[in-house]
Amino acid sequence: MTRPRLMIPGPIEFADEVLAAMGQPSPGHVDPTFIPVFGRALQDLRTVFQAGEGYQPFILAGSGTLAMDSTIANLVEPGDRVLVIDTGYFSQRMADVCRRYGAVVDVLSAAPGETIGAGQVAGQLASADYDLVAVTHVDTSTGVLTDVAGIAQAAKAADALVVVDGVCSAGGEEVRQQDWGVDVFLTASQKALGAPPGLALFVASPAALAKWESRQAPVASYYSDWGLWLPVMQAYEASRPAYFATPAVNLVMALAVSLRQILAEGLEVVFARHRYVSDAFKTGVSSLGLGQVPTHPDHAAHTLTCARYPAGVGVELLPKVRAAGAILAGGLHPAIRNEYFRIGHMGIVGRSDTLATLGALEAGLRAAGYAVEPGIALAAAQAVLDPVRG
Ligand code: PMP
């Protein structure tokens, strides 16, 4: 690859077959060739989230923030009590969205790099009558992975709906929407699901649909209203054309390809690949003497690595790494923004991406004046990757 690899936490490097779908002539949205593609994408989304019958997938033109907006606009009524589990930047956004739709929001906040456990959530749930609990599965600003299964169990016991922001997890981290009791699992196309940016994706449980159906207040957002989208999603899945607003046809075609690739590889294999690639990155970064933002490996995500700059090095590192072949992202959490950088490793990422990126990081660090023995991170990563390759 002559251009630098895009190794940020989304958008990511996309498969050639996915990009080829983007480049096809656009069919009409009610074209007989498009209807089954949309229908299959909806079904495959439900399968990838490990949700069953009665769970309703939605695919809207928009980004992950629209998936948050649509979920909350439809599930929250003015005066509802929401508990937001705050592990960083995107949990704060979720709290803002909930407030915008009239919720009374309590926020349980973790320090940057820490997570919040199910026990702590259960304690908070005992203190008030919450209607909804919102969790960020992987917080892209800290690289923290939160225990969705445990928190959802606590929320169910307290009779609250569970909304999970899986924008930086779906397609990379283990997700079991139905087994875990998640009412809306939401994401976007551009991360581990492996299609270009532009689609808001979510799957709603029967309980979420029931809550929406029993609303007293109308949904305050027009475009986000499930009442306008539900018949469209149901029609496409039943192989019938429907229209409310024009779908992003090429993006849907691209997503259909990437979802098929994920299912062909096998969900468990995909999760395992994300785990060992993540281990290789984290081992490589540690071998260079760099710390990480998550305070314990047990709650570090497998879709990205948030590495701390070594002493004497700062944001000037990133253009140097780019010149050596890999595009990385800067910090995002406002409290520590200039202390760390982020490496995304999700989607079709594998051995060669890992080694090329760590090689570029070594070169960038050297160019920034940090002494690095050439190849040290590559050796560390290969020690993780080689046994896997078997
Ligand atoms: N939630 C999380 C966890 C994210 O990582 C992002 C995007 N980085 C969003 C929400 C917002 O998604 P988008 O930028 O696609 O609107």
Side-chain angles (χ1 to χ4, degrees), residues 9 63-65 68 90 93 136 138 140 165 167-168 188 190-191:
S63 76
T65 305
M68 299 164 84
F90 290 102
R93 175 171 300 188
T136 309
V138 169
T140 325
D165 172 349
V167 173
C168 201
Q190 75 270 20
K191 303 203 190 208

Side-chain angles (χ1 to χ4, degrees), residues 293-333:
V293 174
T295 51
H296 196 282
D298 285 352
H299 65 247
H302 305 99
T303 48
L304 80 164
T305 297
C306 291
R308 290 187 174 276
Y309 293 114
V313 176
V315 290
E316 74 284 358
L317 173 67
L318 299 186
K320 297 185 195 312
V321 178
R322 182 188 181 117
I327 301 171
L328 308 182
L332 182 59
H333 195 297

Side-chain angles (χ1 to χ4, degrees), residues 77-363:
E77 294 195 69
D80 279 3
R81 291 203 68 149
V82 173
L83 178 62
V84 172
I85 311 307
D86 167 23
T87 43
Y89 186 90
F90 290 102
S91 317
Q92 291 288 347
R93 175 171 300 188
M94 181 62 94
D96 286 346
V97 176
C98 291
R99 287 188 198 102
R100 182 65 66 95
Y101 289 107
V104 177
V105 179
D106 289 332
V107 179
L108 207 51
S109 291
E114 299 280 358
T115 188
I116 292 177
Q120 213 182 330
V121 175
Q124 182 67 31
L125 287 169
S127 73
D129 192 11
Y130 289 101
D131 299 290
L132 189 147
V133 176
V135 189
T136 309
H137 194 189
V138 169
D139 198 288
T140 325
S141 71
T142 57
V144 162
L145 174 71
T146 292
D147 171 21
V148 167
I151 291 175
Q153 201 179 2
K156 288 282 117 178
D159 211 19
L161 288 176
V162 181
V163 169
V164 177
D165 172 349
V167 173
C168 201
S169 75
E173 300 287 353
E174 183 178 358
V175 171
R176 301 185 185 281
Q177 179 172 0
Q178 187 165 2
D179 285 356
W180 290 352
V182 172
D183 292 298
V184 174
F185 196 91
L186 67 89
T187 192
S189 47
Q190 75 270 20
K191 303 203 190 208
L193 288 187
L199 293 177
L201 310 168
F202 51 97
V203 174
S205 73
L209 294 167
K211 160 81 178 166
W212 163 71
E213 265 167 11
S214 69
R215 288 181 68 90
Q216 303 298 310
V219 174
S221 163
Y222 182 70
Y223 184 82
S224 280
D225 189 342
W226 291 359
L228 297 167
W229 286 113
L230 193 60
V232 176
M233 301 302 144
Q234 288 173 337
Y236 276 101
E237 217 181 324
S239 308
R240 285 184 279 107
Y243 171 74
F244 159 55
T246 309
V249 283
N250 285 75
L251 281 168
V252 173
M253 286 152 53
L255 177 73
V257 172
S258 64
L259 291 173
R260 271 291 133 131
Q261 289 182 342
I262 289 169
L263 292 173
E265 186 177 351
L267 287 177
E268 299 306 324
V269 178
V270 169
F271 301 152
R273 179 167 53 77
H274 281 81
R275 280 196 296 271
Y276 69 69
V277 164
S278 173
D279 284 354
F281 268 106
K282 288 174 174 59
T283 308
V285 158
S286 300
S287 74
L288 295 168
L290 276 52
Q292 289 171 45
V293 174
T295 51
H296 196 282
D298 285 352
H299 65 247
H302 305 99
T303 48
L304 80 164
T305 297
C306 291
R308 290 187 174 276
Y309 293 114
V313 176
V315 290
E316 74 284 358
L317 173 67
L318 299 186
K320 297 185 195 312
V321 178
R322 182 188 181 117
I327 301 171
L328 308 182
L332 182 59
H333 195 297
I336 53 171
R337 192 187 297 274
N338 293 324
E339 297 173 16
Y340 73 110
F341 61 96
R342 298 174 298 151
I343 309 171
H345 34 78
M346 52 187 121
I348 53 170
V349 66
R351 177 187 178 83
S352 62
D353 307 285
T354 309
L355 297 178
T357 304
L358 286 170
L361 177 58
E362 285 191 358

